[in-house]
Amino acid sequence: MTNKYEKTVTGDTATLTVRGKNYELPIYAGSSGPDVLDISKLYAETDMFTFDPGFTSTASCESSITYIDGGKGELLYRGYPIEQLAEKSDFLEVAYLLLNGELPTADQDKEFKKAITYHTMVHEQLVRFFGGFRRDAHPMAIMCGVVGAMSAFYHDSTDITDPQQRRVASNRLIAKIPTIAAMTYKYSIGQPFVYPRNDLNYAENFLYMTFGVPNCEDYNVSKTLADAMDKIFILHADHEQNASTSTVRLAGSSGANPFACIAAGIASLWGPAHGGANEACLNMLSEIGSVDNIPEYINKAKDKNDPFRLMGFGHRVYKNFDPRAKVLQQAAHDVLEELGVNDTLLDVAKELERIALEDPYFVEKKLYPNVDFYSGIILKAMGFPTSMFTVLFALARTVGWISQWGEMIEDPTQKIGRPRQLFIGETERNYIDVDKR
Ligand code: SDX
C-alpha cells in the first residue's frame, strides 16, 4: 500500500542561534501529536550534531500506522482506538488494518484470512533447526535463531524491491510466527510438534499447536481462552517507534531481507526494559509473594542506589494509564474467574497497583502500570510458563514490525539509518612498541 498521507510544511521556522549565527529550522505538522523541527541540514550548515541519547525528543520517521497520546493514555491503530478494536475486532482483521490502512471488507477479510491460514505450515527442513538447541534454551533464543533462519528457506520472498515478494514475506511471517512460537514451547517440554489446522482461527490454532498432544487425545480449544488470546494479540500488535520497531526499521534501512529484520526485532524485544518486562513482572510478583511484602519492594524501587525497578510500571511515552493495561486488567479478572483460578499474584498485583498509584514518587514521575503488568497474570492462568511470555509478545508484534518495515521500504525518501556521535575518546596518538609501554 503506498502511503496516501503527507506531513504539512507549515512555512513556520524555529530560529537557532549558534555562536552568533542564526539558522532557520523548518517546522512540519502531522495529523496528531507534536510538530517537528527539520534538522536534517543542521550538520551541513553548522558543522554540529544534535545530541539525544535514547531518542527522547527525536522523530525518526513519518508514519501513519499507530499513534499514542501519552498524556491522555490513548492508543490508535490507523485512527481506531485500541479499546474498540479489542472489543469488536479480531487479530487478523487488525493485522489487515495495520498492513493496509483500512478495515477490510467482508471479502477482503475472508481472502486475507485464507492467505494466512494456508501459509501456517513451516518448511519441514526448518524443524531440524530446533534439534540444535538445548531443551532448556530460552524460547526467545530459539525464536531469534529460527525466524532469522527463514531467510535461508524462503528465497522467493526476499527481494524487497518487489511489492509482491514483500507481501508474500509479510504473509509468511504473520502466518508462521504462531507455528514457530508453539514449536519453541513444545521443544522446551520435550513434546512432539503439532501441525497447524486450517479449520481453526488464528488464536485457536495457536493454542491448539501449543497445548494439543497429537494422537493421544483431542484438544478442544476453549472459546474463552481463544478470545483472551486474540485480545492479547490485538493489544500487542503495534506501538509506534518503540525499541524493537526502531530496530526493525534500522535493519531494514540497509536493505536486509524482512526475515532477518524481524529476527533483529525479536532480539531487541527480549530485553527486560521492553518486551521482556512481562516475564520480569511475573517473576517480580512471585518474588514479592504476598501483599505484606509490597512496601519493602516499593521502597527498593524508589531507592536511587538500588537498581530494582517495578517491572510493568512506567513508560517512555505514556504519562497516564497505558490503555492496554486497562483492557488487560479486566481480561485478567474475566479469565481467572472463568478458569476458577484464584491466583494470589492477581491480589498482589492489584494491591501493588493501588499502593504505587498513591505513592508520591510514582505520582510525581507519572509511573503507571503498562501493558506488561497484567499480561503475565493472564498468560500464567492460561498455562504458559513465564519464559513464553515474551514469545507471545513477539508473535503479536510481528504484524506491527512488518507493517512498519513495509511503510519504510515504500517511503521514497527512505535512506540507510546512520546516527552520528559525540566523540569523547582519545585524540590521535602514535603507536607505542610493546617494550616501551
Ligand atoms: C514496553 O516503547 C514502547 O512502546 C514499549 C512497549 C511496546 O508496546 O513496544 O510499550 C512495551 O516495553 C513497555 C515497558 C515495559 N518495561 C517495564 O515495565 C520495565 C520497567 N520500566 C522502566 O524500565 C521504565 O519505565 C521504561 C524503560 C519503561 C521507560 O524508561 P524511560 O522512559 O527511559 O524512563 P526513565 O528510565 O528515564 O525513568 C524516569 C524516572 C527515573 O527516575 P529519575 O532518574 O528521573 O530519578 O522514573 C524512574 C526512573 O528511575 N522509573 C522507575 C520505573 N520506571 C522509571 N522507578 C521505579 N520503577 C519503574 N518501573
Side-chain angles (χ1 to χ4, degrees):
M1 179 211 151
T2 304
N3 203 336
K4 64 184 180 184
Y5 304 101
E6 296 288 340
K7 64 176 177 288
T8 302
V9 179
T10 64
D12 298 338
T13 60
T15 302
L16 175 67
T17 302
V18 178
R19 295 178 179 127
K21 189 174 177 186
N22 288 346
Y23 301 89
E24 298 303 317
L25 303 176
I27 295 175
Y28 305 141
S31 55
S32 309
D35 292 350
V36 298
L37 299 179
D38 181 347
I39 57 167
S40 54
K41 296 184 174 55
L42 187 73
Y43 176 51
E45 293 175 356
T46 68
D47 200 33
M48 294 178 79
F49 299 142
T50 57
F51 186 64
D52 184 15
F55 309 116
T56 53
S57 304
T58 297
S60 62
C61 63
E62 298 174 32
S63 182
S64 58
I65 298 175
T66 295
Y67 176 69
I68 299 169
D69 184 320
K72 295 179 184 171
E74 290 177 354
L75 169 57
L76 309 178
Y77 288 167
R78 300 285 192 179
Y80 294 99
I82 193 68
E83 296 86 349
Q84 292 182 29
L85 293 171
E87 182 189 344
K88 298 176 179 180
S89 187
D90 63 71
F91 180 69
L92 283 187
E93 184 179 73
V94 167
Y96 183 97
L97 172 67
L98 290 170
L99 284 165
N100 299 292
E102 299 294 344
L103 288 167
T105 63
D107 288 344
Q108 290 167 333
D109 187 58
K110 187 178 176 186
E111 183 186 345
F112 180 66
K113 282 172 176 159
K114 184 178 178 188
I116 296 302
T117 298
Y118 283 84
H119 278 84
T120 47
M121 282 183 76
V122 295
H123 192 294
E124 195 64 16
Q125 290 276 121
L126 205 63
V127 170
R128 294 188 187 173
F129 273 85
F130 285 81
F133 292 102
R134 286 175 41 156
R135 289 283 180 173
D136 62 350
H138 194 290
M140 284 297 280
I142 300 177
M143 289 287 285
C144 289
V146 174
V147 172
M150 290 173 78
S151 315
F153 284 84
Y154 301 110
H155 298 112
D156 60 343
S157 58
T158 52
D159 175 359
I160 64 167
T161 63
D162 178 351
Q164 175 56 18
Q165 290 200 31
R166 292 202 300 269
R167 174 59 71 199
V168 169
S170 299
N171 285 355
R172 275 175 167 152
L173 279 157
I174 295 165
K176 297 178 195 307
I177 202 81
T179 310
I180 294 168
M183 290 167 80
T184 64
Y185 173 65
K186 286 304 198 187
Y187 188 74
S188 70
I189 60 174
Q191 283 190 2
F193 298 139
V194 177
Y195 287 96
R197 275 175 42 184
N198 295 342
D199 62 324
L200 300 176
N201 70 33
Y202 196 81
E204 290 169 341
N205 202 16
F206 172 65
L207 291 173
Y208 168 71
M209 293 187 287
T210 302
F211 296 120
V213 280
N215 303 329
C216 306
E217 58 188 30
D218 290 339
Y219 176 77
N220 299 312
V221 183
S222 147
K223 180 171 178 4
T224 302
L225 293 193
D227 290 348
M229 192 82 267
D230 195 81
K231 185 173 290 188
I232 288 171
F233 288 161
I234 290 172
L235 294 170
H236 287 79
D238 195 47
H239 214 241
E240 288 191 0
Q241 306 311 316
N242 57 83
S244 53
T245 298
S246 298
T247 299
V248 170
R249 279 182 172 258
L250 195 55
S253 73
S254 73
N257 73 72
F259 304 107
C261 295
I262 297 304
I266 292 171
S268 172
L269 185 76
W270 193 0
H274 190 12
N278 51 19
E279 176 179 358
C281 180
L282 205 86
N283 292 338
M284 174 192 73
L285 291 173
S286 302
E287 185 185 333
I288 292 172
S290 82
V291 170
D292 301 337
N293 299 332
I294 290 174
E296 172 199 346
Y297 283 85
I298 292 275
N299 290 333
K300 279 170 61 70
K302 291 156 58 175
D303 179 356
K304 279 284 150 240
N305 300 317
D306 190 327
F308 174 80
R309 287 194 168 179
L310 280 187
M311 304 315 283
F313 271 80
H315 199 276
R316 171 64 58 77
V317 177
Y318 289 122
K319 300 310 174 190
N320 196 318
F321 238 89
D322 180 337
R324 302 168 297 177
K326 278 187 177 175
V327 175
L328 282 174
Q329 182 187 47
Q330 183 55 48
H333 181 272
D334 297 346
V335 167
L336 267 65
E337 188 175 311
E338 166 79 17
L339 294 176
V341 171
N342 181 24
D343 192 339
T344 56
L345 294 183
L346 183 58
D347 301 333
V348 173
K350 285 184 173 177
E351 183 61 7
L352 176 62
E353 177 185 38
R354 185 190 67 78
I355 296 173
L357 295 184
E358 291 175 356
D359 186 292
Y361 173 90
F362 292 89
V363 172
E364 175 205 316
K365 294 185 185 296
K366 300 185 186 304
L367 301 175
Y368 291 87
N370 58 48
V371 67
D372 295 298
F373 188 66
Y374 282 104
S375 59
I377 292 163
I378 301 176
L379 296 175
K380 177 173 179 281
M382 294 173 74
F384 293 100
T386 51
S387 60
M388 281 293 291
F389 290 3
T390 312
V391 170
L392 301 180
F393 196 149
L395 187 167
R397 186 55 57 88
T398 292
V399 67
W401 287 332
I402 205 67
S403 299
Q404 298 270 354
W405 172 82
E407 182 178 65
M408 176 201 63
I409 295 291
E410 291 167 5
D411 179 347
T413 66
Q414 183 266 330
K415 59 176 64 172
I416 189 168
R418 206 277 188 217
R420 302 308 297 269
Q421 63 182 9
L422 173 64
F423 183 72
I424 56 173
E426 294 286 346
T427 54
E428 184 174 347
R429 54 182 173 167
N430 296 318
Y431 182 80
I432 302 170
D433 294 333
V434 67
D435 57 359
K436 294 188 177 64
R437 291 173 199 163

